[in-house]
Amino acid sequence: MLFVDDEVHLVKMAQKVLGRLGYSVVGETNGHDALDRFRADPAGFDLIVTDQTMSEITGDVLAGEVRKLREDIPIILCTG
């Protein structure tokens, strides 16, 4: 799972909580970095959870770019 949020404490919390539930969570705090990581290994992720409102790149833009690489990946957009 790729978890993307520009708030560091939320990424760390998600990694901790979801990790305890048995998920392997890769966290990124920048949408561009998340996209680069996904581009490097599109098959390495089975889900993306991303914040909608981020300063560098919004969640819907990130989702659109990811879908160009892999149409079948589930993407959850969240917002506070």
Side-chain angles (χ1 to χ4, degrees):
M1 170 190 313
L2 179 57
F3 190 93
V4 187
D5 197 298
D6 57 354
E7 295 186 45
V8 175
H9 70 281
L10 291 178
V11 172
K12 288 182 179 182
M13 181 183 69
Q15 288 176 306
K16 186 176 182 178
V17 171
L18 294 171
R20 285 183 183 165
L21 294 172
Y23 294 95
S24 175
V25 182
V26 173
E28 289 291 348
T29 58
N30 177 295
H32 292 294
D33 293 342
L35 186 55
D36 289 344
R37 186 174 295 241
F38 186 81
R39 282 182 176 141
D41 185 17
F45 299 98
D46 54 4
L47 171 67
I48 296 176
V49 178
T50 181
D51 185 19
Q52 168 56 28
T53 308
M54 296 183 287
S55 58
E56 294 290 324
I57 181 173
T58 61
D60 59 332
V61 172
L62 175 62
E65 292 299 313
V66 163
R67 289 285 166 107
K68 290 178 185 176
L69 300 167
R70 205 174 128 205
E71 293 180 350
D72 66 324
I73 190 159
I75 301 171
I76 299 173
L77 291 170
C78 303
T79 188

